[in-house]
Amino acid sequence: MKGKQRLIFRAVLILVIAGVAYWKRGQEGGPVTASPPAESSPAEQRNSKKSSPTVGKVDGYERLAGARLVDHRNNDGDSFFVRAGDREFELRLYYVDAPEKYLSDRFESQRKRVAEQAREMGGLTIEETVEVGLDAKAHSLGLLEGESFDVYTKWERVYDGERFYGFVLLPGGEFYLSEHLVASGLARIHTKGEETPDGRSYHQYKAHLEGIEKKAKAAGLGAWAK
C-alpha cells in the first residue's frame, strides 16, 4: 500500500480508533470528543525516551529502530523476517493471529488451526479463511516493504522455537501493526499479549483491540465481509 492509498488507509484507521474512543467515553458518561484514546500514543512514548537512534531500552523492551523487512517465503500477516543492524530474525506479533495463507495437505494440526480460525472469524469456509490469510500477508508486507520501522521485543521465543514475539511500530509512529490488521478485519485477537511499550496493560490494550474489532465487524471489513 503506497502513496495515496497509504494516506487514505491511515485516515480511515484514525477515524476507526477515534470512533472507539468516542463510544467508550459515551459509555462512561464523560464528555465525548473525537480524539485518540487517552493513553499516550506510541509516538509520544517513543519521543519521550532518550534512547539510541538504533537501539535502546523501553520499559523492558529492546527497541530496534530503523528495522527493515526481509524478503522470505515464510513471511505472512503476523510473522515475518526483519533485519535491524546486524541482526536478522523472525518476528511474531503479540495479540493477533492472521489466518494461514495455505491449507496443508500433510499436517493435520495445521488444518485444525485453519478450521479454528474459520470458526472464530465469522464462520468462514476454509477457502475464505485462506483468502483472508493471503490478504493479511499482502497488507502487512505492503505496509513494511521498502520502509524502516521500529521493533520492540523482549526476545521471548514462540513455543521455544526460532521466532520472537514483539510489536511493530509503523512508519509515522502512530499505530502498531496489530491495530492495522484488526481494523482491516484481517486478524483475530488471539495468542500471547504483553504490556505495550507505551505502558498500556495487557487488559487495556486487548480492550482497545476489541473496540477496533467491533468497528471492523460493523463496517463489514476483511473477514467480516464474507
Side-chain angles (χ1 to χ4, degrees), residues 119-158:
R119 288 193 303 271
E120 292 193 6
M121 298 192 76
L124 303 178
T125 67
I126 296 300
E127 293 75 19
E128 288 172 336
T129 305
V130 171
E131 181 181 344
V132 172
L134 290 170
D135 287 345
K137 174 183 176 180
H139 183 82
S140 291
L141 302 191
L143 286 169
L144 301 179
E145 282 176 342
E147 302 285 353
S148 62
F149 48 89
D150 289 0
V151 169
Y152 294 86
T153 182
K154 295 181 178 179
W155 300 109
E156 178 183 5
R157 292 180 182 272
V158 181

Side-chain angles (χ1 to χ4, degrees), residues 60-142:
Y61 288 92
E62 187 166 1
R63 174 189 170 222
L64 305 174
R68 292 275 184 170
L69 181 72
V70 175
D71 184 30
H72 195 284
R73 64 185 181 88
N74 289 340
N75 287 348
D76 60 21
D78 59 34
S79 183
F80 37 82
F81 283 79
V82 300
R83 181 180 294 111
D86 59 357
R87 299 179 181 179
E88 184 174 315
F89 60 96
E90 188 174 8
L91 183 74
R92 173 69 168 87
L93 297 178
Y94 280 122
Y95 285 96
V96 295
D97 177 48
E100 303 297 312
K101 59 184 184 289
Y102 70 98
L103 184 67
S104 174
D105 58 1
R106 297 175 56 197
F107 299 107
E108 179 68 21
S109 59
Q110 197 267 2
R111 294 195 295 274
K112 287 182 177 179
R113 181 176 178 82
V114 175
E116 178 188 288
Q117 291 168 335
R119 288 193 303 271
E120 292 193 6
M121 298 192 76
L124 303 178
T125 67
I126 296 300
E127 293 75 19
E128 288 172 336
T129 305
V130 171
E131 181 181 344
V132 172
L134 290 170
D135 287 345
K137 174 183 176 180
H139 183 82
S140 291
L141 302 191

Side-chain angles (χ1 to χ4, degrees), residues 168-195:
V168 168
L169 185 61
L170 291 171
E174 294 178 84
F175 304 111
Y176 294 121
L177 179 55
S178 50
E179 293 170 298
H180 267 263
L181 287 167
V182 174
S184 303
L186 298 176
R188 58 178 176 159
I189 302 169
H190 182 85
T191 202
K192 183 176 176 59
E194 277 284 345
E195 177 179 319

